[in-house]
Amino acid sequence: MGLVESGKLPKPLTSLLNTSRKYSIWIFQWGLACCAIEMGAALGSPRYDVMRLGVIPLPASPRQADLVCFSGTVTDKMVPAIRRLYDQMPDPKYVISMGSCANCGGPYWDSYSVTKGVDQVVPVDVYVPGCPPRPEALLEGIVLLQQRIGKEDMVERWKGEPLVVS
Amino acid sequence: MTAVSDRQKLAYVNSQAADGRVNLEFETQEGMTLNMGPQHPATHGTLRIIVKLDGESVIAAEPVMGYMHRGYEKLTEVRTYPQVTTLVNRIDWLGSFANEVPFILAAEKLMEVEAPPRAQWIRTILFELSRIANISLFVGDMALHIGAMTAAFYAFRDREFVLNQIEAVTGGRFHPNFDRIGGLKDDLPKGWIADTKAAMEKIRDFCDEMDDLVTGNEIFQARTRGVGVIPADVAQQFGLSGANLRSSGVDWDLRRDQPVGLAWDQADWKVWTHPDGDSFARFWVRIQEVRESTKIVDQLLDGLPAGPIMAKVPRIIKVPEGEAWVATENPLGEMGYYVVSKGDLGPFRVKIRTASFNNVSVVPWVCRGVYVPDVVTILASLYFILGDIDR
């Protein structure tokens, strides 16, 4: 898109593109531990039905995903794989860290093999607290992320610099 | 990124080198190497399987574990007894309450207290509810791995009924942390018994529905019958337990064979076995197990004794010196705790025996000679949970 790269994107076009982006998020489910089941309940069950929010939970690979949800305990052994799959995702990409373990280590705060927070290796947009969070909590996290995408300045985003939280 | 010490860096390099060695061993052989995981839907999260292929048939399969190792056995040494139940909830995260019970029973054995009958019965009921919550997801998951997505949606839908009942008593959908040394935290809420009976009715309907949808399906049978056969003697040699062992024709269930004080002997139920030992048998035995669990819950709710739910225990729990081993039949198989106490607030050492570790150890044996798509069905039917393997 030449307009975006030149840094001169008209405002109505920005909001149109943002609206289209925020209601067509392909979410890559990275289920790591207990939270994976709650994520499965939120994204794959008829009761919580995530597709009504405009989120499609079934990309075939991280290369087709806009959003990755790390749900569960991140261990030191898993970290290289997490970084690698995050790098494979196309920009613009977003990260939800679900559950206490992915946020900060959770109940394993003094364990020798657990990484204390996935934000040590990838930048996180939304933290969903809880152990595990209820499916509704994850849905709210997704709604918050959508609000944020809606307010995003695309020119700023395309510079490739880290996003500043407002 | 936080600063890492040289020692941590060295440990990281070593772990990577260990992975590399596995790859190297495989790559020096003939054929093609296929890596499944650690992010693969069929591995329930983070199991990694390296498969050596000749065309489409598998020469060798090697599970690589440790991606979910959270160091439970070490963490229990720095926690007090009531804090340990919070941790062990998360070993087998689908049937959390079942994880607490053997540990609490072991601690009670050391302290020589016994929970009152009502607490034992409610423990058994919650134990069976968590078994239903665990295995009902397996039923949908297994169908999902064969390629039938509908069953997974149904499983998630009907599982919610059981989770609601667990939540109504314990306050937690997943990790109840409800068991205490000497009894339970609370009594049952009002109206719970009738609600649970209605939920059990729905679960029985769910089992019938799954029989219609999945078990009798021609494609499902073609993909699972005769695939991944584990004979009884091999199953015993690898230390399989639970439904994986029973589907090989071994009539062995700790709930019946080894009384630990819970109320299973008060109900009339049956241990199902299947002579075939293939993927279909493992699926079939688990569906029957859900049905039996609903029966156990119904009968125990009918005969629930009145009385207190907590025995007399001191406010600050100190477990006297000694060692105790208690194992129960958890949803995935035999789970046991070997607790060593030195008379402190927390255990000195806890050895945790989980079922999935042994269940997965049979993968290299059973995957030789099968086709690649069958690896997925075999893994699904063996039914492991990563927290249960790596602890």
Side-chain angles (χ1 to χ4, degrees), chain A residues 85-145:
Chain A
L85 258 74
Y86 177 78
D87 288 341
Q88 285 177 358
M89 284 169 61
D91 260 334
K93 51 193 169 190
Y94 303 93
V95 177
I96 288 183
S97 153
M98 179 187 184
S100 299
C101 294
N103 292 348
C104 63
Y108 313 100
W109 58 274
D110 52 350
S111 170
Y112 55 85
S113 57
V114 173
T115 310
K116 279 81 188 174
V118 73
D119 51 4
Q120 291 184 20
V121 278
V122 295
V124 175
D125 292 272
V126 176
Y127 296 89
V128 181
C131 190
R134 295 182 64 91
E136 293 95 325
L138 179 60
L139 296 189
E140 196 190 345
I142 290 172
V143 170
L144 285 174
L145 184 73

Side-chain angles (χ1 to χ4, degrees), chain A residues 4-82:
Chain A
V4 177
E5 281 153 13
S6 68
K8 284 176 268 174
L9 196 66
K11 214 166 168 84
L13 196 53
T14 303
S15 67
L16 175 70
L17 286 175
N18 279 346
T19 311
S20 348
R21 279 194 312 135
K22 79 178 186 189
Y23 291 125
S24 61
I25 300 176
W26 287 69
I27 175 169
F28 181 59
Q29 313 181 26
W30 191 313
L32 288 163
C34 332
C35 296
I37 311 299
E38 289 294 61
M39 183 177 66
L43 304 183
S45 87
R47 182 185 275 202
Y48 300 103
D49 184 24
V50 78
M51 290 200 197
R52 70 201 152 97
L53 301 175
V55 174
I56 301 140
L58 304 161
S61 93
R63 291 170 207 273
Q64 299 168 2
D66 308 306
L67 164 65
V68 60
C69 179
F70 292 109
S71 52
T73 318
V74 182
T75 53
D76 289 351
K77 191 171 181 179
M78 200 68 189
V79 159
I82 280 181

